[in-house]
Amino acid sequence: KLPTIKGPVTGEYSTGKKQGKRFNLFIPREMQAEFIFPVKENVKVTLNGRVVKNYTGKLALKTGKNKIIVRNP
């Protein structure tokens, strides 16, 4: 939990062999945020259930809940 003027940014992280790396992040209203997670080639990344094509190690996050999953194929 990270307090900011616009409200707290919160996050959770978990990992598992089958589940991959899971990140749950909450971004307050009227705030911009980026998720930076360097990865090796050939990983599957989803953001809120949608596959991210051509993931380059950085995602723009929306306000509210953001669920990111990083898996090796």
Side-chain angles (χ1 to χ4, degrees), residues 28-47:
R29 288 185 180 182
E30 300 179 18
M31 181 177 274
Q32 295 180 356
E34 289 182 332
F35 175 80
I36 299 174
F37 186 77
V39 295
K40 297 177 182 178
E41 294 181 21
N42 300 324
V43 296
K44 180 180 178 183
V45 178
T46 60
L47 173 60

Side-chain angles (χ1 to χ4, degrees), residues 2-72:
L2 177 66
T4 72
I5 292 172
K6 296 185 180 193
V9 174
T10 59
E12 296 177 344
Y13 167 78
S14 65
T15 186
K17 289 182 181 180
K18 291 183 180 181
Q19 298 175 347
K21 294 174 177 64
R22 294 175 175 258
F23 303 87
N24 292 308
L25 304 167
F26 180 83
I27 309 301
R29 288 185 180 182
E30 300 179 18
M31 181 177 274
Q32 295 180 356
E34 289 182 332
F35 175 80
I36 299 174
F37 186 77
V39 295
K40 297 177 182 178
E41 294 181 21
N42 300 324
V43 296
K44 180 180 178 183
V45 178
T46 60
L47 173 60
N48 298 327
R50 294 184 179 175
V51 175
V52 176
K53 295 181 182 181
N54 302 320
Y55 178 69
T56 60
K58 182 172 24 174
L59 291 173
L61 302 180
K62 296 181 179 181
T63 58
K65 295 180 182 179
N66 292 274
K67 183 178 180 180
I68 303 158
I69 301 173
V70 180
R71 292 186 183 145
N72 292 325

